[in-house]
Structure formats: C-alpha cells, structure tokens
Amino acid sequence: MSHHLKIGRGSYRYSCPNCGGPNTEKRLEHGLPCPRCLPEKDASDLGDLISIGRVLEREETISENFRKLVELEREARELIDFFNQVVGSRRVGGPEDMG
Ligand SMILES: [Zn+2]
C-alpha cells in the first residue's frame, strides 16, 4: 500500500480522542477521531461530539472515555438549553416588558 497516513515519530501529540492513538492535525482541528475509529466517508460533516459519538457507536469503535465525553456534552447542552429557556422566558413576555 503506497498511501497510508503520514504518521511519523512525534505525531502522538495529535492523539485520537477516542482510542488515544495517532491522529492527524487536520482531524483534531475538527475534533475528529483517527481514521481507524472514524472512516473517512463518515468524517465529512461532523462538527460536534454528539454526532461524532453517534457515528462511533454505529462503527462500534467508540471507547468508554469517548462515551463519557459525549455524555458530558449532552448534559452540558441540556443545562444550556434549560438556562436559555429560563432567561429567554424572562426576557420575552415578562412583566417588565409591559411598559
Ligand atoms: Zn482512534
């Protein structure tokens, strides 16, 4: 095979958030796991942990650590949603808005 990933010495500083193995800088910029965890065909339009996690689940390459990360992300979002609802409902249609 003439074209595998160029992963040389020292590339471990770009490590896959899922398996901890070598990853490419480009993938890490987008928060993506390495190609072994997440095949190229799936990697195109994944921008967030939750959708990445979903694909990893499907590929059955998801690690315990990554699953926890996704879980945290979900909880954080719920919290943000909740916060926005509370703040939002105060701003819109609150008694202060009447004047
Ligand atoms: Zn990996």
Side-chain angles (χ1 to χ4, degrees):
M1 262 191 241
S2 58
H3 107 214
H4 34 186
L5 279 169
K6 279 196 178 163
I7 291 172
R9 252 173 228 273
S11 64
Y12 266 75
R13 67 198 162 113
Y14 305 124
S15 62
C16 170
N18 185 51
C19 70
N23 200 358
T24 62
E25 188 178 4
K26 194 162 176 281
R27 277 177 169 254
L28 272 188
E29 265 175 27
H30 297 93
L32 295 170
C34 74
R36 278 161 307 161
C37 296
L38 188 76
E40 201 61 55
K41 62 178 167 66
D42 291 325
S44 45
D45 50 35
L46 295 175
D48 62 292
L49 268 178
I50 291 175
S51 46
I52 293 168
R54 208 174 290 137
V55 177
L56 291 179
E57 293 268 12
R58 201 180 62 212
E59 297 289 335
E60 295 179 339
T61 51
I62 194 163
S63 69
E64 261 329 291
N65 279 342
F66 203 86
R67 196 171 271 153
K68 276 178 201 152
L69 270 181
V70 172
E71 205 49 51
L72 280 176
E73 176 78 7
R74 274 206 191 105
E75 283 171 18
R77 280 193 194 188
E78 276 170 24
L79 213 68
I80 290 168
D81 279 352
F82 176 73
F83 181 78
N84 283 341
Q85 270 172 29
V86 173
V87 173
S89 64
R90 269 199 204 140
R91 272 199 201 131
V92 184
E96 298 90 339
D97 275 355
M98 299 302 274

